[in-house]
Amino acid sequence: MYLYTPDEIDRERAHHQAVIQGADDLAVKRIGNLGELAFEQFCREYLPVEMWEWENEEAIRRCNSESFSGNDFDVFGYEIDVKTSRDVSAFRPANLLENDPDDDIIVMVWHRDNEDALILLGWERTETLESKVRTQGAYSGDEPKKLAHLAARPMNELQDLGPNTAHMNQKPQNPFKPGDRVVKAEDADASVAVVVEVLPPEQDVNLYGQTMDGEAVCVAFPNTLDDGPGNWREIHPAKLASYCDDQNIKLYTYKHANLEYPDNPFTPGDYVIKPDYDDPDLAVVLRVADDGDDDRDITVAFCKHLEKEFGEQMEIPPANLRSRCDEVGVDSYSYNHDELSFKQQY
């Protein structure tokens, strides 16, 4: 058995995709998505990457509706469906067949009540389940009330269905995740960008007619995001790919090794605080300067002052916010970027 612990990005994507899908029961669909994410991680760790495919990978990564494929994964040419449940009785052979009789293999995943951990219990061929059900009906009679048979072969035996190939771990090597601020490495004038998507290692990406040698990261620039219909800073990073896809916001693809974290990650419109204060007030970045007096390269205005002047629903583009503050006399303050921290609003 294997334990899978979803991170915040996984949990948000699993839920938002269920919302976009229009699921009648959001909890069931969300948990099903988490089960697929768990099995995807197993495949990535233990199976040759060229011999399995996740049908719903892009749909869940971008929180789009699924294409209603008959199965969740193709592994070694077998059609596999992932069944996730808190009730282990769902993994009895007859119950599995009743809910999904058409796939070649069923993978069983159990989850905790609060969905913070999932356990891959095992897998079984559908034809074996059919045989077990027939055998139970013909020869076993009634099962003991306190001891019910659950179908499950050990997860690591799934490797035996494929050819005798070397172990191929395809875990992503890049350090970035959605929402991270990055710049192009070794470029003194590089603009700060926001990571929107981290593509899987096996994704073939073509740049300028050539296949990229390395993992791809898709980014958007804040000024482009600012032109969108919503305040992207109030959207969870897990949903940025969905937002950009829906709004046709242009993304730029880089090899992960060509990106690095910036010394100064802030851009106009960012929500920040001065964390060394006991009860810091929320502020918005008005200006980011290359140089400033006493190294104070960030100019901010406090939200309580902005709301007093412009109202709670302030609809001023970040690029215009500084000039509007100057026009009406909103006080601004300067700090060194090392003194400030992001205060996320999602």
Side-chain angles (χ1 to χ4, degrees), residues 35 79 95 103 105 110 127 145 154 187 190 210 212 282 299 306 311 345:
E79 293 183 350
N95 293 343
D103 294 307
I105 289 171
W110 178 87
E127 61 185 24
K145 292 182 179 180
D187 186 344
Q210 295 185 338
M212 177 184 293
L282 183 66
T299 302
L306 294 172
Q345 296 301 295

Side-chain angles (χ1 to χ4, degrees), residues 2-19:
Y2 295 88
L3 174 67
Y4 165 74
T5 304
D7 60 19
E8 185 181 1
I9 296 291
D10 291 341
R11 292 163 68 94
E12 287 289 335
R13 281 180 170 167
H15 178 77
H16 194 56
Q17 194 281 328
V19 172

Side-chain angles (χ1 to χ4, degrees), residues 282-287 298-310 321-335:
L282 183 66
V284 175
V285 175
L286 303 181
R287 176 175 175 266
I298 303 293
T299 302
V300 307
F302 289 102
C303 288
K304 60 184 180 182
H305 298 156
L306 294 172
E307 291 174 1
K308 182 178 179 180
E309 191 64 42
F310 302 116
L321 188 55
R322 182 188 175 202
S323 61
R324 291 286 289 119
C325 288
D326 290 342
E327 288 174 8
V328 300
V330 173
D331 291 334
S332 62
Y333 303 85
S334 296
Y335 300 95

Side-chain angles (χ1 to χ4, degrees), residues 74-251:
D74 289 305
V75 179
F76 301 129
Y78 295 95
E79 293 183 350
I80 291 183
D81 205 52
V82 180
K83 293 301 179 188
T84 309
S85 179
R86 178 70 175 85
D87 180 6
V88 292
S89 69
F91 304 135
R92 298 176 67 178
N95 293 343
L96 288 170
L97 281 179
E98 180 180 354
N99 293 324
D100 193 355
D102 299 324
D103 294 307
D104 298 323
I105 289 171
I106 297 174
V107 171
M108 289 148 273
V109 182
W110 178 87
H111 71 88
R112 285 164 50 101
D113 280 337
N114 57 5
E115 303 167 29
D116 64 340
L118 296 89
I119 295 178
L120 284 78
L121 295 176
W123 62 278
E124 192 60 271
R125 291 176 183 261
T126 304
E127 61 185 24
T128 302
L129 293 173
E130 292 172 346
S131 177
K132 287 183 176 180
V133 170
R134 287 196 302 269
T135 301
Q136 285 177 303
Y139 303 108
S140 300
D142 294 332
E143 290 184 335
K145 292 182 179 180
K146 294 186 178 182
L147 190 64
H149 177 75
L150 300 180
R153 296 184 64 177
M155 287 301 304
N156 59 354
E157 290 187 5
L158 197 61
Q159 301 173 71
D160 298 337
L161 297 179
N164 184 17
T165 56
H167 171 74
M168 296 179 65
N169 184 331
Q170 288 292 309
K171 294 287 286 183
Q173 299 299 309
N174 84 79
F176 306 113
K177 63 182 184 301
D180 284 349
R181 300 293 175 94
V182 294
V183 292
K184 189 175 180 182
E186 301 179 358
D187 186 344
D189 297 322
S191 298
V192 172
V194 182
V195 174
V196 173
E197 284 188 297
V198 178
L199 301 185
E202 67 276 7
Q203 183 84 35
D204 289 330
V205 177
N206 290 312
L207 288 179
Y208 309 110
Q210 295 185 338
T211 301
M212 177 184 293
D213 181 19
E215 297 172 19
V217 175
C218 297
V219 307
F221 290 96
N223 59 340
T224 304
L225 289 164
D226 289 339
D227 291 336
N231 187 346
W232 62 273
R233 292 177 175 85
E234 296 179 358
I235 299 174
H236 194 284
K239 304 174 187 176
L240 280 178
S242 176
Y243 174 73
C244 291
D245 190 45
D246 291 343
Q247 303 301 328
N248 294 317
I249 292 174
K250 184 173 179 57
L251 302 182

